[in-house]
Amino acid sequence: MKGTGTVRPEPRQADDFAVHYDEHFTDVHRYIAGRLGRDVADDIAADTFVIALRQRHRFDPERGSVRPWLFGIATKLVAQHRRQESRRYRALARVGREAVDGGHEEQVVNWVRAEGMQPRLAKALRSLNRDQRDVLLLSALSELSNQEISEALGVPYGTVTSRLSRARAKVKAALGEDSDER
């Protein structure tokens, strides 16, 4: 794989795929848990690897390494989970049950608070649009490089750079940080 210094087989054969699962599952799981919470991370991380195994013939090593490909699948599943959850809340509201306030974003805020982070940070993340939040969290939670994020999301490198820059600026502004601070 690119950037690791270790040559690993790409996931063309099912037997080779176990190597990638062992190598990347923990990081993919951590990323998903950071986005959706630990309660659903097990299932979605497992789904990520099931999809990757089923679609291994679609993986193109010329476009990049396995790691960002897996994170791209995970990011799509996170978005799909959010849409399904949002539909469930709307359906509950239509049938007269009390809807859960704020949906998924409120759950993220609660999880962040439970982890001991400042509520202002959760509010700042919540204020980002989905594209900015995806890029920022792939960078922060998964420590993907801009190139890997570009590959994972299927967007140009420059788009990743600008989204990341905007997201960081918005979070810093929301936190009241001086732009020279990190």
Side-chain angles (χ1 to χ4, degrees):
M1 290 187 320
K2 294 178 183 177
T4 64
T6 305
V7 176
R8 298 241 193 273
E10 298 304 345
R12 295 286 182 184
Q13 303 295 322
D15 294 341
D16 297 337
F17 194 81
V19 171
H20 299 292
Y21 177 88
D22 292 341
E23 189 170 314
H24 300 294
F25 182 84
T26 300
D27 292 336
V28 169
H29 185 277
R30 185 180 312 112
Y31 167 67
I32 295 167
R35 299 292 307 267
L36 299 175
R38 290 186 180 119
D39 54 328
V40 296
D42 291 343
D43 290 338
I44 294 179
D47 288 347
T48 298
F49 284 88
V50 168
I51 289 169
L53 180 61
R54 288 181 181 155
Q55 295 183 359
R56 67 187 179 276
H57 65 280
R58 292 179 148 184
F59 175 76
D60 181 4
E62 296 296 319
R63 292 186 56 203
S65 68
V66 172
R67 186 172 188 251
W69 181 64
L70 292 169
F71 277 99
I73 294 169
T75 300
K76 288 176 186 171
L77 289 175
V78 165
Q80 179 182 5
H81 175 81
R82 284 183 176 159
R83 286 189 301 273
Q84 290 170 342
E85 185 177 57
S86 180
R87 283 192 295 268
R88 280 193 302 270
Y89 291 140
R90 284 193 303 271
L92 285 174
R94 280 193 307 268
V95 296
R97 293 187 185 170
E98 185 177 293
V100 177
D101 290 339
H104 173 72
E105 298 304 327
E106 187 63 32
Q107 288 179 349
V108 170
V109 170
N110 290 335
W111 176 76
V112 170
R113 283 186 185 136
E115 293 294 316
M117 295 180 78
Q118 295 292 327
R120 289 180 358 206
L121 177 59
K123 185 177 179 182
L125 290 173
R126 191 172 166 185
S127 72
L128 299 175
N129 69 42
R130 190 184 116 212
D131 292 337
Q132 292 169 344
R133 191 170 33 251
D134 285 346
V135 168
L136 182 65
L137 294 176
L138 278 168
S139 175
L141 296 177
S142 302
E143 299 177 0
L144 266 64
S145 69
N146 288 9
Q147 183 61 43
E148 289 174 318
I149 295 169
S150 171
E151 294 169 17
L153 299 178
V155 297
Y157 180 89
T159 301
V160 169
T161 303
S162 63
R163 285 180 186 171
L164 190 55
S165 176
R166 280 190 217 109
R168 287 177 175 158
K170 285 181 180 181
V171 169
K172 284 181 182 181
L175 297 176
E177 291 183 11
D178 186 346
S179 61
D180 293 333
E181 292 179 25
R182 188 143 216 284

